[in-house]
Every structure is written in C-alpha cells, then in structure tokens.
Amino acid sequence: MSRSRQPPLVTGISPNEGIPWTKVTIRGENLGTGPTDLIGLTICGHNCLLTAEWMSPSKIVCRVGQAKNDKGDIIVTTKSGGKGTSTVSFKLLKPEKIGILDQSAVWVDEMNYYDMRTDRNKGIPPLSLRPSNPLGIEIEKSKFPQKDLEMLFPGMSADFTSENFSASWYLIENHSTTSFEQLKTAVTNLKRQASKKSEGSLAYVKGGLSTFFEAQDALSAIHQKLEADGTEKVEGSMTQKLENVLNRASNTADTLFQEVLGRKDKADSTRNALNVLQRFKFLFNLPLNIERNIQKGDYDVVINDYEKAKSLFGKTEVQVFKKYYAEVETRIEALRQLLLDKLLETPSTLHDQKRYIRYLSDLHAPGDPAWQCIGAQHRWILQLMHSCREGYVHGLQGTPGLHSPMIDLDNDVRPSVLGHLSQTASLTRGSSFQSSRDDTWRYKTPHRVAFVEKLTKLVLSQLPNFWKLWISYVNGSLFSETAERSGQIERSKNVRHRQNDFKKMIQEVMHCLVKLVRGALLPLSISEGGARQHGGWEGKSELSGQWLAHVIQTMRLTYESLTALEIPNDMLQTIQDLILDLRVRCVMVTLQHTAEEIKRLAEKEDWIVDNEGLTSLPCQFEQCIVRSLQSLKGVLECKPGEASVFQQPKTQEEVCQLSIHIMQIFVHCLEQLSAKPDADVDTAHLSMDVSSPDLFGSIHEDISLTSEQRLLIVLSNCCYLERHTFLNIAEHFEKHNFQGIEKITQVSMASLKELDQRLFENYIELKADPIVGSLEPGIYAGYFDWKDCLPPTGVRNYLKEALVNIIAVHAEVFTISKELVPRVLSKVVEAVSEELSRLMQCVSSFSKNGALQARLEICALRDTVAVHLTSESKSSFKQALEALPQLSSGADKKLLEELLNKFKSSMHLQLTCFQAAAPPMMKT
C-alpha cells in the first residue's frame, strides 16, 4: 500500500532535557492528520504513545517515560507517513533522590522515593542522613584501585559520615577529573547547605512560602464551606467535630499500623544484623573464593585476599572468625603445595618459574623454593643429556648404519655450522674425495655427529634459562617487594652459602657434556667406568677429518654462546680442553687419512709424460697435501682463549712422525711404480712429446712401457720432487705452523735421494752392462791380435756398435726427460771408458799398427762423448792412452787425424745427439 504523505520529521522539542515524566512539546512536520493517525511515539527508546496528545500536524504534547538511554532521538510514526526521523535529541536527567527523613516543602513523588534498604552503597546504616551528593555537582568515579587508596590513606575512609573521614580520599574517588571551577561551585553548595541547616525549618518555610499560602487558602475555603453547611445540619462546633473525627482517624490508623510498625522495628534490627554480617562477608566467602580463583589460575587475587584476611583476622579472638580463618589457612597451604609442584615440574619456562617463585614468596612458603627450583632444573638438564645419549645409542644398535639421524637444517639452533662445513668442504676436497661421494654427502650426518649437534643444542636451550634463574636468585628479582624486604638478610646469607653449590652444578653440567662428547668421539680419553656411563658407541669407525672439524666448529659455537652468558671461564675450562683434544685428534685423523689416500695414488698413475718428463703424480701428491692442510686451517687457527695444537711436545712429535710417514709413503709408492711388472702398467693413454726425430719408434708401435722407461719416468719425478714439490710442501707446513719442519724435510729428502740413487744405479746397470759386456768380444772378434794386425783403415765395428747403443740410451732418456740425459750418459760413458781402459791395460804388448788402431778407437770414442765426460771417465781414457806406445812419426799422427775425420764424417748423423751442446772436438 502506498502512502500519500511524507514521513514525519521532528525538528524541535521543548524542553530538550528533563527528568522522567517531564511534559514536553514536540514540533515538526507531517506529524499526523489527527489523533487516530498517530500510531507511535518514542523518546530515548521509550514508548510515550499513552501520554501523547495530538495538537496539530506540527505539534504533539506528551510526557517522557523511564527510558533506559540517557540521550536519544524522538521518533514519530503515523499511518499516513510511516516511521519518521528526528533532527534533534532529548537528554534524560536522573531525578534527585529524597531520603525518608528529608524535609520537603512539597509532596514527594513516590516514584522518586529513595529507599535506603535498596541502596547499593555498602556499609551505610539504613537511617543514615547522608545526602547522595553532598557537593551538589556531578560525580565522576575514578579508576584508582581501592587497594592503592587504602595504602595511600591507612586507617581512613571515604564515607563522610565516618569518624575517620578523609576529604582527599573522597575527592580522588568521586571527583578526580572535576575542574577547578566546578569545585568552586561545590564549595558554594556546601556553604548554602550549612546555612540552611543553621536556619532549621524556617529555611524550608521561606523556600516554600507560596506553598504555605496556597495551603492556607485551601484550608480557609474548606472551613467556610463546612461552616456554611454545618451551621444548619450539625450541632455543636464544627471545629470540635472535625477534631473528634481526626482523632478517631488517628487512633484507627495507629490501631491498623501498630503491628506493621512492630514488624518494621524487627526488620530494622534484622537489617542491622545483616549489615554487620555483610561487613565481614569477605572472610566468610574467602575459602570458596580461594578455591574458585585457584581453579581459574588467578593466584594474584588469592594472595591479595589472603594478605588482607591475615592483616584483619590473623590475631582475632572471635571463635567464628578463627574457624573461618583456619579454613583459609588450610586452602592456602594446599595452594603452596600446588605452586611448589608446578615450580618443580619440568619442562617449564623461565617466566613460569619466576612467577611461581614470587607466588610462593608472597605466601611465605617454608624453605627456599627458588633454590629447590634451581636444583630441579639442574637434575632435569642432566637427565635430558643422558636421555639424548641413550636415544642415539639405542637407535644405533637398532638400525646400524641404515637410518642415521639427520641434522634438521630448518630447526637447528646453529644452521650456519653445517652450511659452513658444506662451503669449506667443497673447497678443500679434490677429485679424489668427490669420486666416491655424490653431492648429498654433506647432508648425511654420521650418528655421532648428529648426537653432538643434538646434545649441544639441548644444552644451549636449557642452560641460559638455568643461568638466568640463578642470576635472578642472586639479585633478588625473583621475589616481590614485600617478600624482598622481609627476607633480604636471610636470602643474602643463603646466596653466599650456595654460590659454591651452584658452581658445582654448572661444572657438573659441563663435565657431563664433555664426557658425553668424549665418549662418542674420544673414547680412549675417558676411564673405563666413564666409558660405560658416557660411551656405548663401540664398533663405529673413526670419523673423517671433515666431520671432526664440523664437531669442533659446533663446540666452538657452544663455547661462545656460553661465554656470552657471562659464565666464568674457569667453569668452561673443560670445554676448552675438549676442543683442544678434538683439534689434536682432527689433525691426527686428517694426516692418517691423507696417508691412506696417498697410498692409493700409485693406482692413479697414468704414465702420461709432459714436456718436462713429469707425470701428474707429483702434482697430485702436492694437491693432496695442500687439501689436507687447507681442511685443517680452521682447526689449527686459535680462537680467543684457545691454546695452540702444537703446544705439547708429544703432539709435536706425533704430527712430525705422521708428516714424515706421509712423505715416505709417497716415496714407497714411487718405488712400487718403478718395480711394477710390465703387464700391470696401463699405457692406453700414453703419449710422448718429442721434439727431435723419432729415434725410438718402438714406443709408439706397441704402445707399451718397458721397465727401463718406467725407471726413467720415476727418476724424472724424483728429481722434480727434490727440487720443487718437497720444498713447496715444507712451505705449506710452515704456513700452517707445523713444528719440526726441518726434520720432516731432511728425513723425506734422505728417503727420496736414497730411492733416486737406487733406481738410477738400477737403470745404469740395465743399460751400461750390455754395452760394456760387448766391448771385449767386439775387440777380439775374428781372432784380432794387437801384436799382429794390419795398418788401421778406420774405426772397427765393435766401437760403432757401442756408440749406437749409447745413442739408443740417449734417445730413450731424451724421450722421457731431457734433464736426465747428462746424468745417465755420463755414468754410461764412465762404465765404457773404465772397461776400455781395463782392456787396454790387459794387453801385454802392441805392434805399431796395433798401437795406432787402439789410439784411433780410444780417441774416436773420447771425442764423440766429450760433452758427457767426467773426471772419472777422463782419467780412464788417460790411463788407456798411457798404456799405448807413443806415436813417433808425423806420418802416423797425420794418418790418425785423417782416420778420425773420416769416422766423424761417416757417422755425422748418428753423432749429432752428442754434438748439440758439445764444444769443438779437441785434436789429439
């Protein structure tokens, strides 16, 4: 259905404020077409339709009802326009309450009657003459806690009818935000009330004078009316008659209300008794309130109530109060035990521990709960550490090597430790490490390393709170101010007495941590009894150097974290000793693993020779040592407070011997390679770099190495090791602060030189003996006789064969290493010259032709190998020539020179290898 008019709109109300039942005039637009059109009217949410009087479409008169809201809109609803709106609002004021004994010049509206029995102000007698607002201004209750006001005004009261009334307390409680101007108004009101009280009833007469005049006029009119009517109908005086009527009414009223007034007096007496009981209901309800608050966990409320009850009724002599106070003490004792149990319960946060200690301190619990908590926490930490070991040991025994615990990289307390290990490991591992492991090796933590990680994480999660709890115990911050003042002297004595006990607790935790780590990683460093309690890791292989370095880093971070708590260094000395032992063990294990790796280097020899006659073996050896030392860089580095790994002479000697052992192992590998059977040599990738014409093509034909060639390659490697590698390694040892480097170098060099000399002699023996052995048969081939021979026509074939064999040695050595040529050929020439000298000295006599032939051949050999002559070979050639007769004629000398030149010319190509760096031939 459509409406024909606009919705009502209220634009004004007069008055705009007042108490309930105030008559107001509402003005606006479209307020209805008549009384029947008005179907709704609300002011401040209260329906005022019953009192509404429609005057016109723009005016309505009504009375304001008892609304719940203090301020609200005026909403008019009509049939024609529907529910309207309002642009103004009405403020509802609270009516002034009038006491039953307050004097009033007018009739009191019973709706505003002030019944003291229903008044919510506790502790006020029912017949009190106290006005509700003595200052006559608006009351604004403050938010100051009642407990703080009681402490600020001890023994005083905010009740102005009390003997201990405190005006300051009353103003703080009721007018803390009142302005100074309003307080001035309040003073004026007080003065006015005082003047009214001094004037007595006259003040009320003055204030209600008009009311008295109206009453007098009404009484006079009644008298005249009654006199006019009673003169004719009533005998006697009308006033007398009226007095009799009033007396009878009074007597009848007294008779009717006598029982009611008696019950009223009895009710007043009962009410006074109830008020007394109400005054002490705090004590009577306290046992039940304590139980309820304990269930809710409001321990602060319980403690405050207990302190209040103790101060009020702790020394009472009233039996009823004693009985109820005893009930309170029983429940408080149960609370003490409950809080103590919660305090000693583990695990628990430091915040909860401090809170329970303060509660127990406020409740004056017997003993020292804070120290009991410290002891319980200490036992809990030790139990956690041993449980951690048992869990890992049992897990190890249940599934050995299959399901090793992994480090939780997301939740670990020190995630950078493993990351640091991963980065350094990738730098310090060469191809030999990577060949047997994939990229996931760094995340597969060994069982014992995971145990150390978990153990240190556990200690670092528990010990800081344990230490902070002790610090709070020492400085008294665990206790409330009241408890601190009462027990300060006694607690200071306890602290001095228990400092040594707490120090023993910390040391016990440190010793337990160290022994558990030693049992897992250094089982030989603990006693047999300690091994049973802290060990249980039997049958596990030795950890690698990388994981030991990781454990060392973990322990260092643990030490730094504990130092940050300002724990004295003497309590952490055992951890420093453990770190030192782990560092020493890590050095030993790393060197031992390095020795094992170097043993396997012989298997990696590929026999590929570079331009300098070297294989990759010396470089691999040096790289292996460098990687090993690089992995020990962080271990050997001394952090603040740490001692050097090499401070103990025993450690120095062991490290020196291990280093020497590593060098000697490599020397032994070289010896094994030199003596390796031909069938065991893999030459599939053999390559030679020869700049000269191929004089030893057989190497490329069958692609195999002879024992002589392997000897040469090993000899070449030995020379490089002696000149470079061993010296470089000594520098690396010195760079990492190794001790006894001179001894390591001397012993290693001696072993290397011994091997070099032995291999060199073997090679010379293999090459020189066939050449030397072929000289004597060649000289006397064809029944040659030095006494009876033809004139010389040239150098005989035996010498040419010997030179060809020497050239073959030259080619073989030159193919492997150019630097070995002088050393090898000089020794071969020495052997040949010595044999030739012996043969010449064994001849009894020479003919002229025989002497010339011998001189030709000796000079030809000497001049050919002149570049490789040594003092020994020169002496041998000299002795050979001295054994011959001297040339007497110039013709013989000329013939000798011609034959020498002919020999050199005919074998020019073969002799080129001897002439490359040789000086011009000297003539004899």
Side-chain angles (χ1 to χ4, degrees):
M1 145 179 162
S2 61
R3 297 187 177 93
S4 60
R5 299 178 62 85
Q6 295 294 326
L9 175 64
V10 176
T11 58
I13 184 171
S14 178
N16 59 2
E17 63 179 12
I19 62 175
W21 307 111
T22 300
K23 188 175 183 180
V24 296
T25 301
I26 300 172
R27 298 185 182 276
E29 301 174 359
N30 304 319
L31 300 183
T33 59
T36 58
D37 189 42
L38 182 64
I39 61 174
L41 175 60
T42 59
I43 300 177
C44 297
H46 184 266
N47 189 359
C48 302
L49 184 60
L50 293 177
T51 61
E53 183 180 355
W54 185 86
M55 306 298 292
S56 68
S58 61
K59 178 179 178 182
I60 297 175
V61 178
C62 70
R63 288 186 179 272
V64 180
Q66 290 281 4
K68 295 182 179 179
N69 301 327
D70 294 338
K71 189 174 184 180
D73 295 335
I74 301 94
I75 306 299
V76 177
T77 306
T78 63
K79 292 180 181 180
S80 59
K83 187 175 181 179
T85 57
S86 174
T87 61
V88 295
S89 61
F90 183 82
K91 183 177 180 181
L92 188 65
L93 304 178
K94 293 182 180 180
E96 180 181 1
K97 294 183 179 181
I98 301 175
I100 56 177
L101 296 182
D102 290 344
Q103 296 184 9
S104 176
V106 296
W107 186 262
V108 177
D109 187 359
E110 292 184 357
M111 297 187 65
N112 295 332
Y113 176 68
Y114 183 61
D115 190 355
M116 296 300 295
R117 294 174 295 178
T118 60
D119 186 24
R120 298 302 180 187
N121 293 320
K122 298 179 177 57
I124 302 176
L127 300 180
S128 173
L129 299 180
R130 185 187 73 167
S132 59
N133 187 4
L135 296 183
I137 58 177
E138 186 178 357
I139 295 178
E140 299 177 0
K141 289 290 184 179
S142 67
K143 298 182 180 179
F144 287 96
Q146 190 71 17
K147 181 179 178 181
D148 294 345
L149 292 174
E150 291 176 358
M151 295 178 61
L152 188 61
F153 303 99
M156 306 300 289
S157 174
D159 183 4
F160 49 80
T161 62
S162 174
E163 296 180 357
N164 300 324
F165 171 70
S166 173
S168 300
W169 186 347
Y170 179 82
L171 290 175
I172 292 174
E173 185 176 15
N174 297 284
H175 301 284
S176 59
T177 59
T178 303
S179 65
F180 186 69
E181 295 298 328
Q182 289 179 318
L183 291 177
K184 286 184 177 179
T185 304
V187 172
T188 304
N189 294 338
L190 285 175
K191 290 180 179 179
R192 185 182 301 113
Q193 292 178 15
S195 62
K196 287 182 179 180
K197 187 176 181 181
S198 62
E199 293 177 359
S201 300
L202 183 61
Y204 287 95
V205 174
K206 291 181 179 179
L209 190 60
S210 61
T211 303
F212 282 100
F213 288 155
E214 292 175 359
Q216 177 65 30
D217 293 341
L219 290 175
S220 298
I222 293 173
H223 177 72
Q224 292 175 2
K225 183 69 175 175
L226 291 175
E227 187 176 20
D229 294 341
T231 304
E232 299 176 354
K233 299 178 181 180
V234 181
E235 296 181 357
S237 174
M238 182 190 67
T239 306
Q240 185 65 37
K241 185 64 176 179
L242 181 60
E243 182 180 358
N244 295 333
V245 171
L246 291 177
N247 287 333
R248 288 196 304 271
S250 176
N251 293 332
T252 304
D254 289 340
T255 303
L256 290 174
F257 289 97
Q258 184 174 7
E259 183 179 356
V260 176
L261 293 177
R263 288 199 302 269
K264 177 182 177 299
D265 294 338
K266 183 178 181 181
D268 290 341
S269 301
T270 303
R271 191 177 298 111
N272 289 333
L274 290 175
N275 285 333
V276 173
L277 293 177
Q278 180 71 15
R279 179 181 176 185
F280 300 104
K281 73 173 183 178
F282 165 74
L283 177 63
F284 302 143
N285 295 332
L286 187 56
L288 181 59
N289 290 336
I290 288 176
E291 291 182 356
R292 290 176 178 174
N293 289 326
I294 289 176
Q295 292 176 357
K296 292 189 295 184
D298 294 337
Y299 302 121
D300 290 314
V301 177
V302 175
I303 293 172
N304 291 335
D305 290 346
Y306 173 67
E307 289 291 338
K308 183 177 179 181
K310 186 177 180 180
S311 62
L312 293 176
F313 307 103
K315 299 180 181 180
T316 183
E317 297 297 332
V318 180
Q319 293 300 322
V320 175
F321 293 164
K322 280 186 176 182
K323 179 180 178 181
Y324 275 88
Y325 185 74
E327 289 291 330
V328 171
E329 285 289 354
T330 302
R331 284 160 176 76
I332 291 297
E333 184 60 32
L335 175 61
R336 291 192 187 105
Q337 188 60 41
L338 174 64
L339 292 176
L340 184 60
D341 293 340
K342 287 182 175 291
L343 175 63
L344 302 181
E345 180 182 345
T346 51
S348 178
T349 63
L350 179 63
H351 173 74
D352 290 340
Q353 290 172 346
K354 289 184 175 181
R355 190 161 57 94
Y356 293 142
I357 290 173
R358 288 194 183 99
Y359 290 154
L360 290 169
S361 175
D362 291 338
L363 291 174
H364 308 287
D368 194 347
W371 180 252
Q372 290 177 327
C373 178
I374 292 174
Q377 192 72 9
H378 169 249
R379 292 188 295 272
W380 168 247
I381 294 175
L382 294 178
Q383 179 183 350
L384 284 179
M385 296 170 70
H386 286 288
S387 298
C388 179
R389 182 197 69 85
E390 292 173 1
Y392 273 88
V393 170
H394 292 163
L396 182 63
Q397 295 172 353
T399 54
L402 293 178
H403 302 285
S404 298
M406 301 296 158
I407 291 180
D408 189 353
L409 297 179
D410 296 331
N411 299 326
D412 187 46
V413 75
R414 298 176 303 281
S416 61
V417 178
L418 189 63
H420 176 73
L421 173 66
S422 304
Q423 296 172 1
T424 56
S426 62
L427 297 175
T428 58
R429 280 197 328 277
S431 59
S432 59
F433 286 87
Q434 297 173 350
S435 60
S436 60
R437 297 188 179 102
D438 56 19
D439 292 337
T440 62
W441 74 274
R442 65 192 66 176
Y443 303 113
K444 297 179 180 178
T445 310
H447 218 77
R448 287 173 291 173
V449 176
F451 161 69
V452 174
E453 286 280 344
K454 182 66 176 294
L455 183 65
T456 54
K457 179 180 178 181
L458 185 151
V459 172
L460 290 180
S461 64
Q462 297 294 329
L463 199 60
N465 288 341
F466 182 58
W467 179 260
K468 292 175 182 177
L469 184 63
W470 164 254
I471 295 300
S472 300
Y473 178 78
V474 171
N475 58 31
S477 61
L478 287 176
F479 311 97
S480 63
E481 295 181 0
T482 305
E484 185 175 0
R485 287 193 297 268
S486 61
Q488 186 173 7
I489 299 177
E490 181 181 358
R491 190 167 55 256
S492 62
K493 294 179 181 178
N494 292 338
V495 168
R496 288 193 299 269
H497 174 68
R498 286 167 175 163
Q499 277 183 345
N500 293 331
D501 295 337
F502 182 78
K503 183 176 181 181
K504 291 179 182 178
M505 289 182 180
I506 291 291
Q507 289 176 342
E508 187 176 358
V509 173
M510 295 298 104
H511 283 299
C512 183
L513 170 64
V514 169
K515 287 181 180 179
L516 288 174
V517 176
R518 287 184 181 275
L521 304 177
L522 304 172
L524 298 180
S525 63
I526 57 178
S527 61
E528 183 178 354
R532 289 192 298 269
Q533 184 179 1
H534 302 95
W537 305 88
E538 293 78 7
K540 292 299 292 181
S541 59
E542 182 72 55
L543 288 178
S544 65
Q546 282 83 8
W547 284 118
L548 283 175
H550 171 63
V551 171
I552 292 171
Q553 179 68 8
T554 300
M555 296 306 301
R556 280 174 167 172
L557 292 176
T558 302
Y559 179 81
E560 292 175 3
S561 300
L562 295 177
T563 305
L565 296 176
E566 299 182 356
I567 298 179
N569 291 332
D570 57 340
M571 297 185 183
L572 304 177
Q573 186 58 41
T574 53
I575 297 183
Q576 281 285 24
D577 296 340
L578 171 63
I579 294 175
L580 178 60
D581 291 346
L582 287 174
R583 291 167 64 203
V584 172
R585 186 58 189 165
C586 181
V587 172
M588 299 298 181
V589 170
T590 302
L591 294 180
Q592 290 172 0
H593 288 185
T594 303
E596 294 296 326
E597 184 181 0
I598 290 175
K599 283 182 181 180
R600 297 189 293 272
L601 284 181
E603 303 171 1
K604 302 177 183 180
E605 177 60 274
D606 52 11
W607 300 102
I608 299 177
V609 183
D610 60 9
N611 293 334
E612 298 180 2
L614 303 174
T615 64
S616 62
L617 200 61
C619 183
Q620 290 183 26
F621 171 65
E622 183 176 355
Q623 289 177 356
C624 183
I625 298 293
V626 171
R627 284 196 303 268
S628 176
L629 295 178
Q630 185 67 25
S631 67
L632 292 174
K633 182 177 179 181
V635 176
L636 295 174
E637 181 182 359
C638 293
K639 298 294 183 180
E642 293 182 354
S644 173
V645 173
F646 306 107
Q647 68 173 357
Q648 296 294 334
K650 180 181 178 182
T651 304
Q652 295 179 13
E653 183 62 25
E654 290 179 356
V655 172
C656 181
Q657 292 300 324
L658 276 175
S659 303
I660 294 173
H661 180 62
I662 290 173
M663 310 290 275
Q664 291 178 338
I665 284 178
F666 185 68
V667 173
H668 182 66
C669 288
L670 294 176
E671 185 175 6
Q672 285 182 325
L673 290 172
S674 66
K676 198 171 186 180
D678 294 345
D680 295 341
V681 180
D682 181 12
T683 58
H685 302 86
L686 180 67
S687 65
M688 299 289 179
D689 181 14
V690 183
S691 58
S692 61
D694 186 7
L695 301 179
F696 202 66
S698 60
I699 294 180
H700 297 275
E701 292 176 2
D702 56 10
I703 315 181
S704 62
L705 287 177
T706 63
S707 59
E708 292 88 348
Q709 288 174 320
R710 290 200 303 276
L711 279 174
L712 284 174
I713 293 175
V714 174
L715 281 172
S716 177
N717 287 339
C718 287
C719 294
Y720 184 82
L721 289 169
E722 181 180 352
R723 293 195 306 270
H724 299 95
T725 304
F726 277 19
L727 298 179
N728 293 341
I729 291 175
E731 292 180 0
H732 286 297
F733 281 148
E734 185 176 3
K735 180 180 177 181
H736 289 82
N737 299 321
F738 273 55
Q739 304 297 316
I741 299 176
E742 184 177 355
K743 180 180 178 181
I744 297 173
T745 305
Q746 289 178 354
V747 177
S748 304
M749 285 291 190
S751 300
L752 182 64
K753 290 179 179 178
E754 180 185 357
L755 174 64
D756 177 82
Q757 186 62 30
R758 190 165 62 253
L759 296 180
F760 180 74
E761 291 175 356
N762 291 341
Y763 183 77
I764 297 299
E765 183 178 353
L766 290 173
K767 293 299 180 181
D769 285 358
I771 299 175
V772 171
S774 66
L775 288 178
E776 186 172 0
I779 289 175
Y780 297 104
Y783 302 101
F784 180 81
D785 188 1
W786 296 107
K787 297 178 182 180
D788 183 15
C789 62
L790 298 175
T793 58
V795 176
R796 289 186 293 172
N797 291 335
Y798 83 89
L799 187 60
K800 294 179 180 180
E801 291 178 1
L803 285 174
V804 169
N805 290 335
I806 294 175
I807 291 171
V809 174
H810 180 282
E812 183 179 58
V813 177
F814 188 86
T815 303
I816 302 299
S817 175
K818 303 177 182 65
E819 296 182 0
L820 285 177
V821 172
R823 182 184 179 191
V824 173
L825 289 187
S826 62
K827 283 296 181 180
V828 173
V829 170
E830 282 183 8
V832 172
S833 63
E834 182 180 356
E835 178 64 15
L836 192 59
S837 174
R838 183 188 68 79
L839 292 174
M840 293 298 104
Q841 292 176 4
C842 291
V843 178
S844 58
S845 62
F846 290 88
S847 64
K848 178 181 177 182
N849 292 335
L852 185 60
Q853 184 71 42
R855 187 175 295 276
L856 172 64
E857 293 170 354
I858 293 172
C859 290
L861 179 61
R862 183 194 63 184
D863 293 347
T864 300
V865 298
V867 70
H868 299 296
L869 291 179
T870 63
S871 59
E872 289 79 3
S873 57
K874 289 179 181 179
S875 176
S876 297
F877 279 119
K878 183 178 180 182
Q879 292 176 4
L881 290 175
E882 289 176 352
L884 301 177
Q886 297 294 325
L887 296 177
S888 56
S889 62
D892 293 339
K893 293 182 180 179
K894 184 176 181 181
L895 178 61
L896 177 63
E897 184 176 356
E898 291 176 355
L899 293 175
L900 282 173
N901 291 334
K902 179 182 177 182
F903 166 74
K904 294 176 184 177
S905 176
S906 63
M907 295 192 67
H908 174 74
L909 181 61
Q910 291 83 351
L911 301 181
T912 303
C913 63
F914 299 119
Q915 298 175 359
M921 288 291 182
M922 295 180 61
K923 296 182 180 179
T924 306

